[in-house]
Amino acid sequence: MDFEQRLSAFIGRSIEVIFTNQFLQGQILNVFDETFVVQAESSNYIPEPRQVTVVSNNVIFVRIPQ
């Protein structure tokens, strides 16, 4: 089972994604090969909520809070 297959089990759940120089928090909307889509909440990096496509290879760490 690869990363995207594992992540697809959490569609609809809250997620925190950590990159080298960025933090993204939101809800997983969809998962594809090598990418996934997050409805991102506003933060210091993203001033207004929006959908963000994340390239899996750029992700350092993913946290799915309970």
Side-chain angles (χ1 to χ4, degrees):
M1 182 177 288
D2 66 10
F3 176 71
E4 286 82 10
Q5 290 172 330
R6 183 84 160 176
L7 196 59
S8 67
F10 297 100
I11 290 175
R13 299 264 313 266
S14 293
I15 188 172
E16 296 172 354
V17 183
I18 299 173
F19 306 92
T20 303
N21 61 351
Q22 190 174 17
F23 174 79
L24 180 65
Q25 189 172 14
Q27 181 181 26
I28 302 174
L29 297 179
N30 214 333
V31 179
F32 304 100
D33 289 337
E34 300 181 13
T35 63
F36 57 98
V37 180
V38 175
Q39 178 64 43
E41 299 173 0
S42 62
S43 68
N44 291 340
Y45 298 106
I46 301 173
E48 295 184 20
R50 67 172 127 168
Q51 287 186 10
V52 177
T53 300
V54 178
V55 178
S56 300
N57 288 339
N58 295 336
V59 174
I60 302 247
F61 184 79
V62 171
R63 179 173 177 263
I64 300 172
Q66 299 258 354

